[in-house]
Amino acid sequence: MAHVVVFGAALASSMTGYGFVVLSAPLLSLLLVPAHAVPLALALGWLLVSALLLRPDVRRAVDVRLAAQLSVAGAAGIPIGALLLAQVDAATLRQALGLSTAGVALVALATPRLSRRRRGQPWQLPTGTNLTNAVAVSTVGLLSGVLSGSVGLNGPPVALYLAAQGTGKDTFRATCAAVVWLLSTATLVVFIALARVPAELAATGLLLLPALLGGYGLGVYAFSSISRRRFQQTALALATVAGLFTAFAGTIPFPWPTCRAAPPFRTTQDGPYGVSGSLACAPRPHARRGAVLSVPLPSSGDSMATYRAAIIGLGRIADTIDDEQVGSGWLYPFSHMGSYAEVPDVRVVGAADLYAEQRAAFGRRWGIPDDHLYESYEDLLVREQPDIVSVCTSAAPRALIVLDIVRLVREGRAAVKAIWAEKPLAISLADADAMVEACREAGIVLVTNAMRASDAYYRRARALIDAGELGRMLQITAYGAGNLSHMGVHLIGAMCVLAGGSERVSWVVGEAESDAKAAGDADLAGNGYLAFENGARGFFRLLPSGPATWTIDAIGETGMIRIRNANEGYEFELWRMGQAVTGAAPAPVRHIFPRPQKIWSAGVGQVKDIIACIETGKEPNCSGGMGRHLLEIAIAIRESHRRGNVRVDLPLQDRNLYVRSSETLAGDTPVAMRPGRTPRRREGVLAEIARREGIGTRRLAL
């Protein structure tokens, strides 16, 4: 399909000298990675007009003085257009200017018919209007530059002016091509300087080159055989179509620059990736998620890989936590990198971390070359163009990073489709709100790593609950250990999965570990009573639970799922009401839990769920909205204790409330780099067996 788009745009552009980018880029953005569409269209369009201008007959036909005047004025108009774009919603601006251009061109198309019937002459502007003087030409050039800088529509104003003058077709095409070539060259230089032309586009352009040459050849042939009147009609029709395409581009996620200044998003605590602040850009939801590439981008790794992934923050949860789990009862792998490595559809193309030591260690462990490891996550996103990004930093900078990813996508500098953010989602409710809303507006899937939501066993339990096998859900009781916003995300998140329905909680009553802890802003342990929206009730204990740690009961009217030793053993039990023997009163009877037929770790389940969200538009198993809800429950438990253990309704009205997650309390230095820190490693029979089985062995990523 991309070949058809390029062929058609090349045919029209080689006949008229303009229009390639505005015709091809909107359609290419639906077929390729959106951030690649404009630079690719610009480069191919530049090649096309260059080929035209290399023809001696075309060069001789250029009105050099007119082309120079139009180009100089156009160059002056580009920054004005960019300034206009910064002040006006980009989608509205494209629609207004595109429809205006199309309207003018349509009037011009209709006018010659009336003129010829009266006078038998080509259409001209009314007598006495002097459009040949320098002021008029400069005005047209300036308008062309303004439209180029704001909506990428540089050719139609020049074409309308030349058509109004009754310019011969040879001079028309040649002069248009010269102006477009000059403005396109300037634009490409800017794109290259801003690193907005990924290196892999060269391979994609080569694949599309036959279509470009085919359209060029046919267009040149058609130009030689078309009459002047038909040529003028064709040029005006192209201006109409270009205007409509520009208006159409205002309704889709089109990668022209759209960012505008806005008040910085508040982050509660400056983190290791920099200070608070970001940019808000004109919202443009993605119309299509996960569009299939018609032209495959080159891959230096697994030829089966469809999705490019990147990791920001290269500490424990990104990688080394898997070393700690060798020999445990956990399904392996647990880390983000390990989980990506288990999914053939994904290839990790790069990673970023502020600390050179962490970058080097990560690169050695996974065989990732230095030129794919970055200090700046912005450089990583712009150069590697990942589809999926893991944000594995501490909670402090997480909101800023996610909002920066959204900004880069809106600017057309990145093509991220999904973000896999660690837990807790943020420090404050305000930050979480900003992250969820920004991703929603940009059409980016936001996933929180409350990973039991994607665990194969928990998904099977949830499927049984949704099928009504337990009847109406009554109570979920869970025992764990840890802090509310940290480990509580896992325990409470598991309860929400097993509650069924919307998984959301309406109100809570909480107890903190102490009055002193509840009065502070640091993460803390506690217990809570939860009222779910579907009528079920829940109780969790995150204060020490002894041998009951990680025990969960999900109780329905007709059955129950009991989970024992949930962190180390996956002991799932299914209990149904029934008769133990004929004639006996109904009693709970234990059945074999119907285990999943395909089993993978929770981390791998998260990756598979992200892909499903991109390809089908489904809601994530644990969305950013759910991550925000889990943070809100944790804060509400503390607020209940502060107010005398009273009921607290959700959502909380004060969005400035926050809790400092456990890993942020010891400073910004990564855990692995803190003095006296030694790598955790299990020993014993199970660990030895696991290592002999290859558990913990890493394979090269690139």
Side-chain angles (χ1 to χ4, degrees):
M1 188 61 188
H3 292 83
V4 174
V5 171
V6 170
F7 179 86
L11 171 61
S13 184
S14 58
M15 284 182 64
T16 61
Y18 78 100
F20 183 87
V21 174
V22 78
L23 290 177
S24 63
L27 294 176
L28 288 176
S29 70
L30 299 177
L31 300 170
L32 307 176
V33 177
H36 293 173
V38 166
L40 180 62
L42 272 171
L44 292 175
W46 182 87
L47 287 173
L48 185 77
V49 293
S50 297
L52 271 178
L53 293 171
L54 286 174
R55 294 173 58 92
D57 58 322
V58 175
R59 288 202 307 275
R60 286 194 299 269
V62 174
D63 186 330
V64 176
R65 181 179 177 183
L66 179 60
Q69 286 181 293
L70 289 169
S71 299
V72 170
I78 289 176
I80 299 175
L83 181 62
L84 179 65
L85 180 63
Q87 304 301 320
V88 181
D89 177 72
T92 302
L93 184 64
R94 288 198 186 92
Q95 290 165 1
L97 294 178
L99 291 175
S100 298
T101 300
V104 172
L106 282 172
V107 170
L109 270 172
T111 303
R113 296 187 180 92
L114 300 175
S115 311
R116 286 194 303 273
R117 280 201 294 267
R118 291 196 303 266
R119 298 185 297 272
Q121 297 176 349
W123 176 68
Q124 299 270 346
L125 285 178
T127 303
T129 302
N130 184 12
L131 287 180
T132 58
N133 61 52
V135 174
V137 171
S138 298
T139 301
V140 171
L142 186 68
L143 177 61
S144 180
V146 170
L147 292 177
S148 179
S150 57
V151 298
L153 193 66
N154 57 17
V158 177
L160 289 172
Y161 167 71
L162 294 174
Q165 295 304 296
T167 306
K169 68 173 189 175
D170 293 288
T171 301
F172 186 116
R173 181 180 69 164
T175 304
C176 269
V179 174
V180 169
W181 186 87
L182 289 168
L183 293 180
S184 296
T185 300
T187 307
L188 273 175
V189 169
V190 172
F191 269 54
I192 293 170
L194 294 176
R196 291 181 61 180
V197 183
E200 60 263 34
L201 283 190
T204 307
L206 287 174
L207 291 173
L208 292 172
L209 196 57
L212 185 78
L213 295 176
Y216 167 78
L218 186 57
V220 170
Y221 172 77
F223 175 82
S224 65
S225 59
I226 195 172
S227 67
R228 171 177 172 173
R229 182 170 65 86
R230 291 296 181 194
F231 172 83
Q232 196 171 70
Q233 291 174 341
T234 300
L236 292 172
L238 181 59
T240 304
V241 172
L244 293 175
F245 267 51
T246 300
F248 166 68
T251 66
I252 63 173
F254 195 55
W256 292 98
T258 61
C259 197
R260 62 187 182 207
F265 292 105
R266 187 183 67 80
T267 54
T268 303
Q269 178 180 341
D270 293 340
Y273 269 102
V275 297
S276 306
S278 185
L279 291 175
C281 306
R284 185 185 299 111
H286 284 294
R288 288 179 47 156
R289 291 178 180 172
V292 177
L293 298 183
S294 294
V295 180
L297 294 176
S299 167
S300 62
D302 189 346
S303 60
M304 294 175 60
T306 301
Y307 295 97
R308 300 165 64 85
I311 301 175
I312 299 173
L314 303 179
R316 180 171 177 256
I317 194 61
D319 175 22
T320 59
I321 192 170
D322 286 342
D323 297 330
E324 305 168 18
Q325 302 304 323
V326 175
S328 74
W330 267 105
L331 293 179
Y332 188 93
F334 194 91
S335 71
H336 286 242
M337 182 65 205
S339 298
Y340 285 132
E342 292 294 314
V343 181
D345 291 338
V346 176
R347 181 169 64 94
V348 174
V349 295
D353 195 284
L354 271 182
Y355 296 90
E357 299 93 329
Q358 296 221 124
R359 294 196 302 273
F362 184 83
R364 284 194 304 271
R365 286 193 294 265
W366 290 98
I368 298 179
D370 289 344
D371 59 352
H372 290 273
L373 299 171
Y374 299 84
E375 180 178 2
S376 163
Y377 61 80
E378 186 164 324
D379 289 345
L380 164 71
L381 298 171
V382 171
R383 294 176 187 172
E384 301 294 350
Q385 291 293 310
D387 303 298
I388 305 168
V389 177
S390 283
V391 181
C392 299
T393 63
S394 72
R398 196 166 294 144
L400 176 62
I401 294 171
V402 168
L403 294 172
D404 276 344
I405 294 172
V406 174
R407 171 177 60 82
L408 292 172
V409 169
R410 284 174 166 162
E411 291 175 356
R413 300 174 62 196
V416 177
K417 299 181 178 71
I419 298 172
W420 182 9
E422 258 307 315
K423 50 79 185 168
L425 183 65
I427 295 290
S428 73
L429 294 178
D431 285 348
D433 289 341
M435 296 162 73
V436 171
E437 185 62 19
C439 288
R440 184 192 66 79
E441 290 181 350
I444 299 172
V445 177
L446 179 60
V447 174
T448 306
N449 201 31
M451 58 201 319
R452 283 161 186 80
S454 292
D455 181 281
Y457 278 88
Y458 283 87
R459 293 318 304 170
R460 174 54 62 91
R462 175 56 185 267
L464 294 173
I465 292 169
D466 288 345
E469 292 299 312
L470 305 187
R472 183 172 64 90
M473 295 306 295
L474 302 175
Q475 177 78 21
I476 300 89
T477 303
Y479 301 91
N483 291 331
L484 291 168
S485 80
H486 192 69
M487 290 306 297
V489 168
H490 289 310
L491 188 70
I492 302 169
M495 293 175 67
C496 291
V497 171
L498 298 172
S502 70
E503 304 183 358
R504 297 306 198 267
V505 173
S506 298
W507 54 268
V508 309
V509 175
E511 173 195 15
E513 59 181 289
S514 70
D515 292 340
K517 285 280 191 177
D521 57 14
D523 206 356
L524 70 167
N527 304 326
Y529 183 78
L530 311 178
F532 289 92
E533 287 181 351
N534 64 354
R537 294 296 184 260
F539 171 79
F540 69 84
R541 178 182 176 88
L542 278 168
L543 292 173
S545 300
T549 300
W550 276 102
T551 295
I552 304 174
D553 288 338
I555 305 168
E557 287 183 324
T558 61
M560 173 174 64
I561 293 175
R562 306 188 105 176
I563 306 172
R564 299 287 178 265
N565 197 22
N567 258 11
E568 289 284 340
Y570 281 85
E571 299 176 42
F572 278 64
E573 303 172 1
L574 175 62
W575 293 74
R576 301 283 297 276
M577 295 298 291
Q579 293 179 324
V581 296
T582 303
V589 178
R590 181 177 175 180
H591 299 263
I592 296 174
F593 184 82
R595 67 173 179 81
Q597 289 184 274
K598 287 189 175 182
I599 299 176
W600 45 68
S601 73
V604 172
Q606 287 281 69
V607 178
K608 290 178 176 290
D609 185 54
I610 289 169
I611 293 173
C613 292
I614 293 172
E615 295 184 348
T616 69
K618 72 177 284 289
E619 183 75 4
N621 292 338
C622 188
S623 65
M626 190 64 198
R628 171 178 60 183
H629 189 61
L630 294 171
L631 174 65
E632 193 162 19
I633 291 172
I635 293 175
I637 295 295
R638 184 194 65 191
E639 292 303 299
S640 174
H641 186 102
R642 285 177 174 179
R643 302 174 194 178
N645 309 104
V646 301
R647 164 176 164 169
V648 174
D649 292 330
L650 302 180
L652 293 168
Q653 297 304 306
D654 185 356
R655 309 309 288 178
N656 291 317
L657 291 171
Y658 66 94
V659 59
R660 291 191 295 143
S661 181
S662 304
E663 80 278 7
T664 68
L665 301 179
D668 294 337
T669 303
V671 173
M673 297 177 59
R674 291 174 186 166
R677 171 77 177 183
T678 57
R680 300 179 185 175
R681 176 185 168 96
R682 293 180 183 239
E683 302 296 345
V685 174
L686 290 179
E688 292 176 6
I689 293 173
R691 292 188 180 101
R692 286 200 301 268
E693 293 173 344
I695 304 299
T697 302
R698 293 174 173 85
R699 66 170 186 167
L700 297 184
L702 291 177

